[in-house]
Amino acid sequence: MRLKSSLVVTAAALATLVTPLLASPAAAASGTEETVSANAYYGRMVIGWRINPYRLDPIQIIAQDRATDGYVVGIRLVTNGEVGHRVWSMRTVPSGQTSASWSTHLEAGWIDNAYFEVCKIKASNGVIASCDASRVMYNPFDDSSV
């Protein structure tokens, strides 16, 4: 009887150690980071790639308007993957400010790669005058093993 209760206690102790290892959170890769810089603007994104579920989390965004030229600076994410080529909503530096930052996440199925565009937008009518794209950030996970 003493052996049986020792085995039960040992099994319970092992279960408390092993269960957290088996039920670990979703796999995550360290963030990929890119910047776009010009005389009139600056943009930066850091993207954390996750699987199970597929998501970009966190996405940290910074945009700066460096010129008083009648243009607003905007920044938007572009992804390619399972749901095709997607251009996400533009975020703009609010009027009267020189910089803005956001932290967000995105769930859109498997994403092969992402990049962002920093754009000059005419303040008077909201028309995009020009955009510069970052380098492409590739998903660090190999989808053939998922």
Side-chain angles (χ1 to χ4, degrees), residues 13-41:
L14 282 173
T16 61
L17 294 174
V18 173
T19 301
L21 296 174
L22 296 176
S24 64
S30 61
T32 54
E33 175 181 343
E34 283 297 330
T35 60
V36 170
S37 186
N39 287 338
Y41 50 81

PDB file of all heavy atoms in Angstrom, residues 13-41:
ATOM      1  N   ALA A  13       3.287  14.731  -8.828  1.00  0.00           N
ATOM      2  CA  ALA A  13       4.361  15.732  -8.861  1.00  0.00           C
ATOM      3  C   ALA A  13       4.907  15.892 -10.280  1.00  0.00           C
ATOM      4  O   ALA A  13       5.141  17.001 -10.748  1.00  0.00           O
ATOM      5  CB  ALA A  13       5.471  15.340  -7.898  1.00  0.00           C
ATOM      6  N   LEU A  14       5.112  14.780 -10.973  1.00  0.00           N
ATOM      7  CA  LEU A  14       5.571  14.845 -12.362  1.00  0.00           C
ATOM      8  C   LEU A  14       4.557  15.541 -13.256  1.00  0.00           C
ATOM      9  O   LEU A  14       4.925  16.304 -14.148  1.00  0.00           O
ATOM     10  CB  LEU A  14       5.864  13.441 -12.893  1.00  0.00           C
ATOM     11  CG  LEU A  14       7.179  12.834 -12.435  1.00  0.00           C
ATOM     12  CD1 LEU A  14       7.280  11.383 -12.891  1.00  0.00           C
ATOM     13  CD2 LEU A  14       8.349  13.635 -12.967  1.00  0.00           C
ATOM     14  N   ALA A  15       3.284  15.295 -13.034  1.00  0.00           N
ATOM     15  CA  ALA A  15       2.238  15.925 -13.845  1.00  0.00           C
ATOM     16  C   ALA A  15       2.262  17.439 -13.696  1.00  0.00           C
ATOM     17  O   ALA A  15       2.073  18.171 -14.662  1.00  0.00           O
ATOM     18  CB  ALA A  15       0.865  15.372 -13.468  1.00  0.00           C
ATOM     19  N   THR A  16       2.529  17.926 -12.487  1.00  0.00           N
ATOM     20  CA  THR A  16       2.570  19.386 -12.292  1.00  0.00           C
ATOM     21  C   THR A  16       3.775  20.006 -12.975  1.00  0.00           C
ATOM     22  O   THR A  16       3.748  21.165 -13.357  1.00  0.00           O
ATOM     23  CB  THR A  16       2.580  19.766 -10.794  1.00  0.00           C
ATOM     24  OG1 THR A  16       3.733  19.208 -10.187  1.00  0.00           O
ATOM     25  CG2 THR A  16       1.328  19.317 -10.098  1.00  0.00           C
ATOM     26  N   LEU A  17       4.839  19.230 -13.163  1.00  0.00           N
ATOM     27  CA  LEU A  17       6.017  19.742 -13.858  1.00  0.00           C
ATOM     28  C   LEU A  17       5.892  19.627 -15.370  1.00  0.00           C
ATOM     29  O   LEU A  17       6.325  20.516 -16.099  1.00  0.00           O
ATOM     30  CB  LEU A  17       7.269  18.980 -13.403  1.00  0.00           C
ATOM     31  CG  LEU A  17       7.685  19.163 -11.947  1.00  0.00           C
ATOM     32  CD1 LEU A  17       8.838  18.227 -11.617  1.00  0.00           C
ATOM     33  CD2 LEU A  17       8.077  20.601 -11.685  1.00  0.00           C
ATOM     34  N   VAL A  18       5.324  18.552 -15.871  1.00  0.00           N
ATOM     35  CA  VAL A  18       5.268  18.291 -17.302  1.00  0.00           C
ATOM     36  C   VAL A  18       4.119  19.025 -17.990  1.00  0.00           C
ATOM     37  O   VAL A  18       4.268  19.504 -19.116  1.00  0.00           O
ATOM     38  CB  VAL A  18       5.177  16.765 -17.564  1.00  0.00           C
ATOM     39  CG1 VAL A  18       4.939  16.472 -19.025  1.00  0.00           C
ATOM     40  CG2 VAL A  18       6.447  16.095 -17.081  1.00  0.00           C
ATOM     41  N   THR A  19       2.975  19.170 -17.337  1.00  0.00           N
ATOM     42  CA  THR A  19       1.806  19.794 -17.973  1.00  0.00           C
ATOM     43  C   THR A  19       2.093  21.183 -18.515  1.00  0.00           C
ATOM     44  O   THR A  19       1.741  21.474 -19.653  1.00  0.00           O
ATOM     45  CB  THR A  19       0.604  19.817 -17.007  1.00  0.00           C
ATOM     46  OG1 THR A  19       0.319  18.464 -16.636  1.00  0.00           O
ATOM     47  CG2 THR A  19      -0.610  20.449 -17.639  1.00  0.00           C
ATOM     48  N   PRO A  20       2.740  22.097 -17.779  1.00  0.00           N
ATOM     49  CA  PRO A  20       3.020  23.409 -18.355  1.00  0.00           C
ATOM     50  C   PRO A  20       3.906  23.351 -19.589  1.00  0.00           C
ATOM     51  O   PRO A  20       3.783  24.167 -20.481  1.00  0.00           O
ATOM     52  CB  PRO A  20       3.722  24.170 -17.222  1.00  0.00           C
ATOM     53  CG  PRO A  20       3.326  23.471 -15.978  1.00  0.00           C
ATOM     54  CD  PRO A  20       3.114  22.042 -16.369  1.00  0.00           C
ATOM     55  N   LEU A  21       4.789  22.370 -19.658  1.00  0.00           N
ATOM     56  CA  LEU A  21       5.642  22.237 -20.833  1.00  0.00           C
ATOM     57  C   LEU A  21       4.851  21.807 -22.059  1.00  0.00           C
ATOM     58  O   LEU A  21       5.104  22.256 -23.168  1.00  0.00           O
ATOM     59  CB  LEU A  21       6.762  21.232 -20.561  1.00  0.00           C
ATOM     60  CG  LEU A  21       7.753  21.613 -19.459  1.00  0.00           C
ATOM     61  CD1 LEU A  21       8.716  20.462 -19.200  1.00  0.00           C
ATOM     62  CD2 LEU A  21       8.501  22.880 -19.832  1.00  0.00           C
ATOM     63  N   LEU A  22       3.894  20.915 -21.857  1.00  0.00           N
ATOM     64  CA  LEU A  22       3.083  20.435 -22.975  1.00  0.00           C
ATOM     65  C   LEU A  22       2.039  21.452 -23.407  1.00  0.00           C
ATOM     66  O   LEU A  22       1.671  21.500 -24.567  1.00  0.00           O
ATOM     67  CB  LEU A  22       2.406  19.111 -22.596  1.00  0.00           C
ATOM     68  CG  LEU A  22       3.342  17.936 -22.317  1.00  0.00           C
ATOM     69  CD1 LEU A  22       2.539  16.730 -21.856  1.00  0.00           C
ATOM     70  CD2 LEU A  22       4.176  17.604 -23.531  1.00  0.00           C
ATOM     71  N   ALA A  23       1.551  22.242 -22.489  1.00  0.00           N
ATOM     72  CA  ALA A  23       0.504  23.221 -22.794  1.00  0.00           C
ATOM     73  C   ALA A  23       1.089  24.621 -22.921  1.00  0.00           C
ATOM     74  O   ALA A  23       0.535  25.592 -22.454  1.00  0.00           O
ATOM     75  CB  ALA A  23      -0.556  23.191 -21.704  1.00  0.00           C
ATOM     76  N   SER A  24       2.245  24.718 -23.571  1.00  0.00           N
ATOM     77  CA  SER A  24       2.900  26.020 -23.713  1.00  0.00           C
ATOM     78  C   SER A  24       2.101  26.925 -24.637  1.00  0.00           C
ATOM     79  O   SER A  24       1.318  26.464 -25.447  1.00  0.00           O
ATOM     80  CB  SER A  24       4.317  25.830 -24.251  1.00  0.00           C
ATOM     81  OG  SER A  24       4.256  25.286 -25.541  1.00  0.00           O
ATOM     82  N   PRO A  25       2.291  28.238 -24.528  1.00  0.00           N
ATOM     83  CA  PRO A  25       1.559  29.167 -25.380  1.00  0.00           C
ATOM     84  C   PRO A  25       1.964  29.003 -26.833  1.00  0.00           C
ATOM     85  O   PRO A  25       2.918  28.317 -27.163  1.00  0.00           O
ATOM     86  CB  PRO A  25       1.960  30.543 -24.849  1.00  0.00           C
ATOM     87  CG  PRO A  25       3.228  30.322 -24.115  1.00  0.00           C
ATOM     88  CD  PRO A  25       3.187  28.905 -23.616  1.00  0.00           C
ATOM     89  N   ALA A  26       1.248  29.693 -27.701  1.00  0.00           N
ATOM     90  CA  ALA A  26       1.512  29.614 -29.141  1.00  0.00           C
ATOM     91  C   ALA A  26       2.967  29.936 -29.434  1.00  0.00           C
ATOM     92  O   ALA A  26       3.583  30.754 -28.770  1.00  0.00           O
ATOM     93  CB  ALA A  26       0.609  30.588 -29.872  1.00  0.00           C
ATOM     94  N   ALA A  27       3.492  29.270 -30.432  1.00  0.00           N
ATOM     95  CA  ALA A  27       4.869  29.520 -30.827  1.00  0.00           C
ATOM     96  C   ALA A  27       5.015  30.950 -31.312  1.00  0.00           C
ATOM     97  O   ALA A  27       4.155  31.475 -31.997  1.00  0.00           O
ATOM     98  CB  ALA A  27       5.269  28.545 -31.926  1.00  0.00           C
ATOM     99  N   ALA A  28       6.112  31.560 -30.928  1.00  0.00           N
ATOM    100  CA  ALA A  28       6.353  32.944 -31.326  1.00  0.00           C
ATOM    101  C   ALA A  28       7.807  33.112 -31.735  1.00  0.00           C
ATOM    102  O   ALA A  28       8.695  32.512 -31.156  1.00  0.00           O
ATOM    103  CB  ALA A  28       6.027  33.889 -30.183  1.00  0.00           C
ATOM    104  N   ALA A  29       8.020  33.912 -32.739  1.00  0.00           N
ATOM    105  CA  ALA A  29       9.374  34.247 -33.162  1.00  0.00           C
ATOM    106  C   ALA A  29       9.644  35.690 -32.762  1.00  0.00           C
ATOM    107  O   ALA A  29       8.732  36.502 -32.682  1.00  0.00           O
ATOM    108  CB  ALA A  29       9.505  34.102 -34.681  1.00  0.00           C
ATOM    109  N   SER A  30      10.908  35.967 -32.505  1.00  0.00           N
ATOM    110  CA  SER A  30      11.234  37.336 -32.128  1.00  0.00           C
ATOM    111  C   SER A  30      10.857  38.282 -33.263  1.00  0.00           C
ATOM    112  O   SER A  30      10.737  37.883 -34.406  1.00  0.00           O
ATOM    113  CB  SER A  30      12.717  37.444 -31.791  1.00  0.00           C
ATOM    114  OG  SER A  30      13.476  37.098 -32.931  1.00  0.00           O
ATOM    115  N   GLY A  31      10.678  39.526 -32.935  1.00  0.00           N
ATOM    116  CA  GLY A  31      10.183  40.502 -33.890  1.00  0.00           C
ATOM    117  C   GLY A  31      11.151  40.804 -35.020  1.00  0.00           C
ATOM    118  O   GLY A  31      12.359  40.799 -34.841  1.00  0.00           O
ATOM    119  N   THR A  32      10.585  41.042 -36.195  1.00  0.00           N
ATOM    120  CA  THR A  32      11.356  41.545 -37.312  1.00  0.00           C
ATOM    121  C   THR A  32      11.099  43.039 -37.386  1.00  0.00           C
ATOM    122  O   THR A  32       9.999  43.509 -37.108  1.00  0.00           O
ATOM    123  CB  THR A  32      10.976  40.845 -38.633  1.00  0.00           C
ATOM    124  OG1 THR A  32       9.573  40.956 -38.839  1.00  0.00           O
ATOM    125  CG2 THR A  32      11.364  39.386 -38.619  1.00  0.00           C
ATOM    126  N   GLU A  33      12.108  43.790 -37.769  1.00  0.00           N
ATOM    127  CA  GLU A  33      12.022  45.245 -37.712  1.00  0.00           C
ATOM    128  C   GLU A  33      12.550  45.867 -38.995  1.00  0.00           C
ATOM    129  O   GLU A  33      13.555  45.422 -39.540  1.00  0.00           O
ATOM    130  CB  GLU A  33      12.845  45.753 -36.532  1.00  0.00           C
ATOM    131  CG  GLU A  33      12.934  47.234 -36.420  1.00  0.00           C
ATOM    132  CD  GLU A  33      13.795  47.668 -35.241  1.00  0.00           C
ATOM    133  OE1 GLU A  33      14.061  46.857 -34.345  1.00  0.00           O
ATOM    134  OE2 GLU A  33      14.185  48.836 -35.234  1.00  0.00           O
ATOM    135  N   GLU A  34      11.869  46.892 -39.458  1.00  0.00           N
ATOM    136  CA  GLU A  34      12.308  47.657 -40.619  1.00  0.00           C
ATOM    137  C   GLU A  34      12.003  49.124 -40.395  1.00  0.00           C
ATOM    138  O   GLU A  34      11.110  49.466 -39.612  1.00  0.00           O
ATOM    139  CB  GLU A  34      11.609  47.190 -41.905  1.00  0.00           C
ATOM    140  CG  GLU A  34      12.143  45.905 -42.470  1.00  0.00           C
ATOM    141  CD  GLU A  34      13.608  45.971 -42.914  1.00  0.00           C
ATOM    142  OE1 GLU A  34      14.082  47.057 -43.320  1.00  0.00           O
ATOM    143  OE2 GLU A  34      14.276  44.938 -42.832  1.00  0.00           O
ATOM    144  N   THR A  35      12.739  49.986 -41.094  1.00  0.00           N
ATOM    145  CA  THR A  35      12.488  51.419 -41.033  1.00  0.00           C
ATOM    146  C   THR A  35      12.502  51.997 -42.442  1.00  0.00           C
ATOM    147  O   THR A  35      13.098  51.421 -43.360  1.00  0.00           O
ATOM    148  CB  THR A  35      13.557  52.165 -40.201  1.00  0.00           C
ATOM    149  OG1 THR A  35      14.832  51.959 -40.793  1.00  0.00           O
ATOM    150  CG2 THR A  35      13.569  51.694 -38.769  1.00  0.00           C
ATOM    151  N   VAL A  36      11.826  53.119 -42.596  1.00  0.00           N
ATOM    152  CA  VAL A  36      11.857  53.918 -43.822  1.00  0.00           C
ATOM    153  C   VAL A  36      12.120  55.339 -43.366  1.00  0.00           C
ATOM    154  O   VAL A  36      11.446  55.837 -42.456  1.00  0.00           O
ATOM    155  CB  VAL A  36      10.519  53.843 -44.591  1.00  0.00           C
ATOM    156  CG1 VAL A  36      10.488  54.846 -45.717  1.00  0.00           C
ATOM    157  CG2 VAL A  36      10.284  52.440 -45.115  1.00  0.00           C
ATOM    158  N   SER A  37      13.099  55.983 -43.988  1.00  0.00           N
ATOM    159  CA  SER A  37      13.463  57.323 -43.545  1.00  0.00           C
ATOM    160  C   SER A  37      13.736  58.227 -44.739  1.00  0.00           C
ATOM    161  O   SER A  37      14.354  57.810 -45.718  1.00  0.00           O
ATOM    162  CB  SER A  37      14.710  57.238 -42.658  1.00  0.00           C
ATOM    163  OG  SER A  37      15.017  58.484 -42.113  1.00  0.00           O
ATOM    164  N   ALA A  38      13.271  59.455 -44.642  1.00  0.00           N
ATOM    165  CA  ALA A  38      13.520  60.493 -45.645  1.00  0.00           C
ATOM    166  C   ALA A  38      13.573  61.825 -44.905  1.00  0.00           C
ATOM    167  O   ALA A  38      13.306  61.888 -43.704  1.00  0.00           O
ATOM    168  CB  ALA A  38      12.412  60.494 -46.695  1.00  0.00           C
ATOM    169  N   ASN A  39      13.893  62.876 -45.612  1.00  0.00           N
ATOM    170  CA  ASN A  39      13.936  64.203 -44.982  1.00  0.00           C
ATOM    171  C   ASN A  39      12.583  64.573 -44.392  1.00  0.00           C
ATOM    172  O   ASN A  39      12.511  65.182 -43.331  1.00  0.00           O
ATOM    173  CB  ASN A  39      14.372  65.271 -45.980  1.00  0.00           C
ATOM    174  CG  ASN A  39      15.848  65.167 -46.298  1.00  0.00           C
ATOM    175  OD1 ASN A  39      16.631  64.616 -45.526  1.00  0.00           O
ATOM    176  ND2 ASN A  39      16.233  65.688 -47.446  1.00  0.00           N
ATOM    177  N   ALA A  40      11.492  64.231 -45.080  1.00  0.00           N
ATOM    178  CA  ALA A  40      10.153  64.671 -44.670  1.00  0.00           C
ATOM    179  C   ALA A  40       9.468  63.722 -43.682  1.00  0.00           C
ATOM    180  O   ALA A  40       8.517  64.124 -43.018  1.00  0.00           O
ATOM    181  CB  ALA A  40       9.272  64.860 -45.899  1.00  0.00           C
ATOM    182  N   TYR A  41       9.915  62.467 -43.586  1.00  0.00           N
ATOM    183  CA  TYR A  41       9.205  61.510 -42.731  1.00  0.00           C
ATOM    184  C   TYR A  41      10.097  60.351 -42.309  1.00  0.00           C
ATOM    185  O   TYR A  41      11.171  60.128 -42.846  1.00  0.00           O
ATOM    186  CB  TYR A  41       7.969  60.961 -43.431  1.00  0.00           C
ATOM    187  CG  TYR A  41       8.247  60.447 -44.823  1.00  0.00           C
ATOM    188  CD1 TYR A  41       8.774  59.185 -45.031  1.00  0.00           C
ATOM    189  CD2 TYR A  41       7.978  61.228 -45.929  1.00  0.00           C
ATOM    190  CE1 TYR A  41       9.044  58.720 -46.295  1.00  0.00           C
ATOM    191  CE2 TYR A  41       8.241  60.771 -47.211  1.00  0.00           C
ATOM    192  CZ  TYR A  41       8.779  59.509 -47.381  1.00  0.00           C
ATOM    193  OH  TYR A  41       9.055  59.054 -48.642  1.00  0.00           O
TER     194      TYR A  41
END
